Amino acid sequence: MVAMTHRPLRKSQLIAFDHAAAGHDGILSDVSGEVLAKPCGQAEIDFYESTRTHPDFAYYIPIHCGTLSLGQGHDLPEAAAVFPSTTAATAPEPWVPTNGGKLNTDCAIVLENVAAGLRKPNILDVKLGARLWADDAPPAKRQTFDALSDITTSKPLGFRIAGMKTWMGAKAAGLNQGGLDGYKVYDRHYGRALTPETVREGFENYFFIDSAGITKRFARRVIKRFLGDLHGLQEVLEKEESRMYSASLLFVYEGDGAGLQADFETEKQVLDLETEQQLLELETVQHGVLSNGYPVRPVLENEGVSIEDEDEDDDDDDDDDGVEQLPKIQAVKMIDFAHAAWTPGMGPDENVLHGIRCVIQILKGLLTQ
């Protein structure tokens, strides 16, 4: 795991982020790519802050670093920094679908970029739940989201693929196998067209990419690690009482086959293992899962970022020299908590858990392919 460095976040260092696989437009990144500024409402900020009292669950979400006030014209790559942020009261407006457009908000939450540290991250966003609206949703939103759930895998399986980006290899750019950067993008329409019978194909397209050197052997090793994370998340959510409508699972892993192979070898050396089989048998050390499958959140020193004025000096000192770290290979985190709350007395969130369990079954099926 690569620990986040402690450094200032300045308003001139925010740029457009181009690795989002789904969700709303307008996400910004710092120049290093370590953190993201995601436009959101106060409810999502409050939920992230509340996870401090739910440390087992907090392991399975991006690290929360602070908040920003984007100010007027937040579509520009510049933001005025404040901490903590506040929102002005506004009169409610009729609900209209955003269709992935920018949110009408001046607030942003600053989060770790889960894909940071990967050479060519392959990204998958899986929207969880058959029911996608919260109790305060207006009738028009309920009807729209229920109709979408009915015609996609959301209703029968409790999830749907919201978007994917996969690296197709160094030669892909000129062969119409990917975009100009070699990535192939699967938008929300791709996931909506999948059925319970064909949704497995979506995961196959995400994991098995021969042109990038992601062989079935490498893919299965990555899948096994994801399964360890998902089982841990499932166990945590079965003990929590919450409701998280329209939350997602964000999967990322190293999409460069040569780099992935090198990372497996480096991991074996760092852990001082003599054979690859020992590494395969080892519990998922990198993402903090013990032999009993229970997650333990790793302690990250100097975790997060500080928010400073533009004219303050930046004293970066990398004092991690000589400390050998495990390479980052993959991660899965829950994201999108605009409609999430802790609900004591209401039991676990079976709406979300059903989707997680179905994803687990599909991934298990890929191991036998």
Side-chain angles (χ1 to χ4, degrees):
M1 172 174 289
V2 178
M4 294 177 62
T5 56
H6 184 75
R7 52 182 175 65
L9 178 64
R10 295 176 174 173
K11 63 182 182 181
S12 63
Q13 295 177 327
L14 294 176
I15 59 177
F17 180 66
D18 61 357
H19 265 311
H24 295 283
D25 295 334
I27 297 178
L28 305 173
S29 169
D30 72 332
V31 291
S32 75
E34 285 191 4
V35 297
L36 304 177
K38 174 196 172 187
C40 66
Q42 188 64 38
E44 186 160 12
I45 294 172
D46 292 343
F47 183 80
Y48 267 101
E49 292 177 347
S50 75
T51 62
R52 295 175 183 175
T53 59
H54 298 261
D56 292 337
F57 176 74
Y59 171 75
Y60 291 102
I61 67 175
I63 297 170
H64 171 215
C65 308
T67 55
L68 289 174
S69 176
L70 297 172
Q72 298 293 328
H74 57 269
D75 54 329
L76 300 177
E78 184 169 343
V82 296
F83 183 83
S85 70
T86 58
T87 54
T90 58
E93 298 180 358
W95 178 81
V96 293
T98 61
N99 294 318
K102 294 182 181 179
L103 294 177
N104 183 21
T105 179
D106 288 337
C107 289
I109 190 165
V110 182
L111 304 168
E112 71 162 318
N113 177 8
V114 179
L118 299 175
R119 303 169 189 83
K120 297 293 183 182
N122 285 346
I123 303 170
L124 167 64
D125 186 310
V126 174
K127 183 67 66 179
L128 293 171
R131 172 180 161 179
L132 300 168
W133 45 268
D135 291 340
D136 61 352
K141 184 174 185 177
R142 298 184 185 202
Q143 293 171 7
T144 299
F145 281 18
D146 282 346
L148 179 60
S149 181
D150 288 343
I151 63 172
T152 64
T153 59
S154 291
K155 187 171 183 178
L157 299 181
F159 78 86
R160 75 169 183 272
I161 291 177
M164 296 193 302
K165 288 187 70 174
T166 57
W167 196 60
M168 303 305 293
K171 298 180 180 179
L175 299 176
N176 295 322
Q177 296 178 3
L180 295 178
D181 57 357
Y183 272 91
K184 184 172 183 178
V185 178
Y186 300 82
D187 63 15
R188 64 181 183 273
H189 300 293
Y190 171 81
R192 292 179 182 182
L194 296 172
T195 67
E197 293 73 32
T198 63
V199 70
R200 174 171 167 151
E201 297 175 10
F203 290 91
E204 291 171 350
N205 288 334
Y206 178 64
F207 285 111
F208 303 129
I209 310 172
D210 288 336
S211 62
I214 306 298
T215 64
K216 289 185 177 180
R217 174 171 166 268
F218 286 161
R220 286 173 184 142
R221 293 179 66 175
V222 172
I223 291 169
K224 287 179 181 178
R225 293 167 181 248
F226 279 134
L227 282 170
D229 283 331
L230 291 174
H231 281 299
L233 174 59
Q234 175 186 342
E235 183 175 344
V236 168
L237 288 177
E238 286 173 346
K239 296 177 180 178
E240 294 281 10
E241 295 184 297
S242 62
R243 295 295 181 269
M244 303 178 190
Y245 298 107
S246 283
S248 290
L249 291 173
L250 179 66
F251 294 82
V252 299
Y253 75 94
E254 178 56 65
D256 176 15
L260 183 60
Q261 182 177 13
D263 288 342
F264 282 135
E265 182 61 31
T266 298
E267 188 177 67
K268 181 165 69 75
Q269 294 173 358
V270 171
L271 295 174
D272 196 25
L273 302 177
E274 294 182 359
T275 68
E276 181 179 297
Q277 184 61 30
Q278 287 177 297
L279 181 59
L280 294 174
E281 293 173 354
L282 191 67
E283 290 294 332
T284 46
V285 173
Q286 182 180 354
H287 38 273
V289 178
L290 301 179
S291 58
N292 63 0
Y294 195 77
V296 177
R297 197 191 196 294
V299 177
L300 302 182
E301 295 185 6
N302 298 327
E303 175 176 299
V305 298
S306 62
I307 298 174
E308 294 186 356
D309 294 331
E310 185 69 22
D311 56 355
E312 291 189 14
D313 291 334
D314 182 5
D315 267 335
D316 280 338
D317 56 69
D318 300 324
D319 42 19
D320 290 333
D321 293 344
V323 178
E324 202 168 11
Q325 294 184 336
L326 292 172
K328 184 168 188 176
I329 292 176
Q330 78 349 285
V332 58
K333 301 289 183 180
M334 277 193 74
I335 60 171
D336 296 341
F337 301 112
H339 307 287
W342 306 109
T343 55
M346 294 183 64
D349 189 346
E350 289 297 332
N351 187 51
V352 161
L353 281 165
H354 175 53
I356 292 174
R357 293 179 188 125
C358 286
V359 171
I360 287 173
Q361 291 306 309
I362 289 175
L363 296 191
K364 285 181 177 179
L366 295 182
L367 293 180
T368 61
Q369 180 169 314

